Amino acid sequence: MRMMIIIALLVPGSIFAQKFLVVEDDSRINERIANRIMTLGYSVVKEGDKADFVAQMIYEKRKGYMSLKTGWKNKDNKYNKVGYVAFLNMKGDTLSATEEQGGYARYYNTYTALSELTNKILQSDFNTALKDALKSYTPKKETHQNTSKADEIAKLKKLLDEGALTKEEFEAEKKKLLEK
C-alpha cells in the first residue's frame, strides 16, 4: 500500500522537527526559554552540532546602586537589565529577535531583574520571533513524497538503532504511522 506523506520536516512536534540550542549562562533562565520552545512543539538539544537554530538571551546590566532598605536605585535608566532573545542560524547569523524588554532588580537579588526581563520577553513577541526564524529553515535531508508504511517504519527503526530515537519515541511515531 502506497501513501502520500506531508513533508514531516516542517511539522512541529514530529521526530524531524527543528532543533534549538538555548544559550544562557543562568540555568533557570535557560530552562524557561527551553520549556517555551518545547511547548511550541520544537526540540531542544544540548549539543550545538545537533541543532538547527540557536536561541540566545542577550542582555546588559544597567548601572545603579543598591540599598538593603530600598532595593536598587537607578535614576538614569528605567530598568536594571534590558535585553532580548535572538534566534540565530548555526553560522551565527541573526534570523530574528524579540523586542527589547527591561527588568527591575529588587532588594539584594539581581536575579529578579533577569527573571522579570525573561517573563516580559516570553509574554510579548517570543512566539512570533521564533516563527520568523523558522521561515529560513531548509531541511538537511531530502524527503520522499511516496513511501510505504513499512518504509517509514524501517527508517524509524534505523533511527532507533542509531540512538537518534528513544524506544518511546519510536513506538509513538510507529503508532502514528499505523493509525493513518
Side-chain angles (χ1 to χ4, degrees):
M1 179 178 185
R2 308 285 289 170
M3 67 178 227
M4 295 285 288
I5 62 166
I6 298 173
I7 299 175
L9 290 169
L10 301 178
V11 178
S14 75
I15 61 167
F16 303 106
Q18 297 85 353
K19 296 172 182 69
F20 288 83
L21 174 68
V22 180
V23 179
E24 167 49 42
D25 292 335
D26 189 298
S27 62
R28 298 168 290 186
I29 301 301
N30 192 314
E31 186 176 324
R32 286 166 60 190
I33 294 170
N35 285 341
R36 170 57 68 87
I37 291 170
M38 289 186 291
T39 299
L40 295 171
Y42 301 101
S43 300
V44 175
V45 295
K46 296 189 185 294
E47 300 87 22
D49 60 335
K50 295 182 180 178
D52 298 312
F53 299 96
V54 174
Q56 181 175 9
M57 173 73 94
I58 300 171
Y59 62 91
E60 66 174 281
K61 297 177 186 177
R62 295 274 173 95
K63 292 181 180 180
Y65 66 91
M66 187 182 81
S67 161
L68 292 177
K69 276 187 168 181
T70 59
W72 280 88
K73 299 287 185 183
N74 190 331
K75 295 180 183 176
D76 298 332
N77 299 303
K78 187 175 179 183
Y79 298 106
N80 299 105
K81 288 189 180 173
V82 294
Y84 58 95
V85 172
F87 295 98
L88 302 95
N89 62 19
M90 295 314 293
K91 294 177 187 175
D93 303 322
T94 301
L95 302 172
S96 67
T98 63
E99 292 180 20
E100 187 174 273
Q101 302 291 333
Y104 293 106
R106 290 174 180 74
Y107 305 105
Y108 61 89
N109 185 350
T110 60
Y111 169 73
T112 58
L114 183 57
S115 181
E116 184 177 300
L117 167 66
T118 304
N119 287 342
K120 288 180 178 179
I121 289 170
L122 293 176
Q123 292 171 2
S124 64
D125 61 337
F126 183 88
N127 297 4
T128 304
L130 184 143
K131 289 176 183 172
D132 287 346
L134 293 174
K135 290 178 184 174
S136 67
Y137 180 72
T138 52
K140 292 180 181 177
K141 297 178 183 177
E142 292 183 20
T143 60
H144 300 283
Q145 289 188 342
N146 290 321
T147 57
S148 70
K149 288 182 183 182
D151 291 338
E152 290 300 315
I153 292 172
K155 289 178 189 177
L156 290 171
K157 176 69 169 126
K158 183 178 178 188
L159 290 171
L160 174 67
D161 294 341
E162 293 172 352
L165 290 177
T166 65
K167 182 75 173 163
E168 294 80 23
E169 290 170 326
F170 169 79
E171 292 298 331
E173 291 298 323
K174 184 173 95 173
K175 183 178 178 182
K176 286 181 193 175
L177 281 171
L178 293 174
E179 289 176 351
K180 289 183 180 180

